[in-house]
Amino acid sequence: MSSEFQHDTEAHRYTLKVDGKLVSAADYTVNGDRLSITHTFTDPMQRGHGYAGQVVSFAVDDIEKNSPELKIVPMCWYAAKWFDEHPEKSGLLAG
């Protein structure tokens, strides 16, 4: 089983493909110095494997590394839950 993470800047989306099939995504918008994670999605047939958490982790790490000027606003419930479970990343959140 191969996993491939991708950041599609034109679509404002982070994705996770497993064996070439899209299994999870995190959509976002940028407004000034804030990046809002607006929606996370996992294919209903693929739920329960931790894919949403993996794609959000990838997105947060990418933002931290490549766009440190941006602060994150977790607008969807899943992204908010992810930040609750990862307090070590709270410094990336918008105040």
Side-chain angles (χ1 to χ4, degrees):
M1 178 167 36
S2 67
S3 297
E4 177 188 354
F5 293 94
Q6 189 174 38
H7 179 199
D8 184 344
T9 56
E10 288 186 24
H12 292 181
R13 172 178 267 198
Y14 287 92
T15 60
L16 168 57
K17 292 181 181 179
V18 174
D19 295 332
K21 181 181 177 187
L22 179 65
V23 295
S24 192
D27 296 324
Y28 67 90
T29 61
V30 176
N31 185 8
D33 64 350
R34 294 174 184 240
L35 182 145
S36 298
I37 300 175
T38 57
H39 183 252
T40 55
F41 172 80
T42 299
D43 178 338
M45 300 301 292
Q46 300 295 326
R47 292 183 180 159
H49 299 285
Y51 294 140
Q54 291 176 43
V55 80
V56 172
S57 291
F58 173 73
V60 170
D61 289 346
D62 182 69
I63 296 160
E64 182 177 32
K65 179 181 176 184
N66 296 311
S67 302
E69 72 283 1
L70 295 176
K71 291 296 185 181
I72 301 171
V73 179
M75 295 183 71
C76 79
W77 71 268
Y78 189 87
K81 177 182 170 216
W82 188 93
F83 274 99
D84 286 345
E85 294 172 354
H86 296 87
E88 71 279 8
K89 298 291 188 177
S90 65
L92 300 172
L93 293 171

